[in-house]
Amino acid sequence: MKDEHLENPNCDETYAGFRISGDFLDPVEITNQLHISPSFSCMKGDEINSRGGKITRPTGIWSLESKEKVKSTSLELHLKQLVEQLEPVRANLVKYIEDSDTRVDIVCFWASATGHGGPILSRDILSRISCLCENISFDFYGPVDD
């Protein structure tokens, strides 16, 4: 994608997260298998802090996020950062992708600055993502009115 490094003028904020989740998930095992430290992890039943107070996690989760590592309004760059960490360990991810007790996905957050436009993703990044997870989802938010 020729313009992948250009900032998106329609975007206020964006980031992406790679997640492995499941009821029997052991985040320490995943960290050891992938040799990557997660941005966040917990086991099913763990109490964690959320915006509304403490909650009990309904499933285990191991996640890797681009939010702290990439400062850009280009979702392509956020996804590229995740893909570059995960591609070398793809063989170790297959076990989780094929396991019916786990879900492997990528979630993208995109907040509009203008109420128009949206993220632009290249064929290359879409192809690379498809080899690393089961699906990709998007959380879109409109511009905040003052």
Side-chain angles (χ1 to χ4, degrees), residues 16 75-83 106 108 121 125 129:
L75 182 57
E76 177 99 3
L77 290 179
H78 286 267
L79 290 167
K80 186 175 178 184
Q81 190 271 336
L82 291 177
V83 165
I106 290 179
C108 301
L121 302 175
I125 200 69
I129 288 169

Side-chain angles (χ1 to χ4, degrees), residues 73 93 115 133:
T73 57
L93 288 175
C133 65

Side-chain angles (χ1 to χ4, degrees), residues 11-55:
C11 181
D12 183 50
E13 179 184 14
T14 192
Y15 57 89
F18 172 85
R19 302 183 304 194
I20 303 173
S21 58
D23 289 344
F24 307 105
L25 187 96
D26 180 351
V28 173
E29 175 191 318
I30 293 171
T31 300
N32 291 338
Q33 286 283 319
L34 302 182
H35 306 289
I36 299 172
S37 294
S39 303
F40 174 80
S41 68
C42 69
M43 294 183 71
K44 178 179 180 173
D46 284 352
E47 277 196 2
I48 61 167
N49 293 321
S50 74
R51 293 178 190 171
K54 285 199 181 272
I55 63 166

Side-chain angles (χ1 to χ4, degrees), residues 7-15 72-75 109-114 116-119:
E7 295 300 299
N8 187 327
N10 294 310
C11 181
D12 183 50
E13 179 184 14
T14 192
Y15 57 89
S72 175
T73 57
S74 168
L75 182 57
F109 170 88
W110 200 86
S112 176
T114 63
H116 301 283

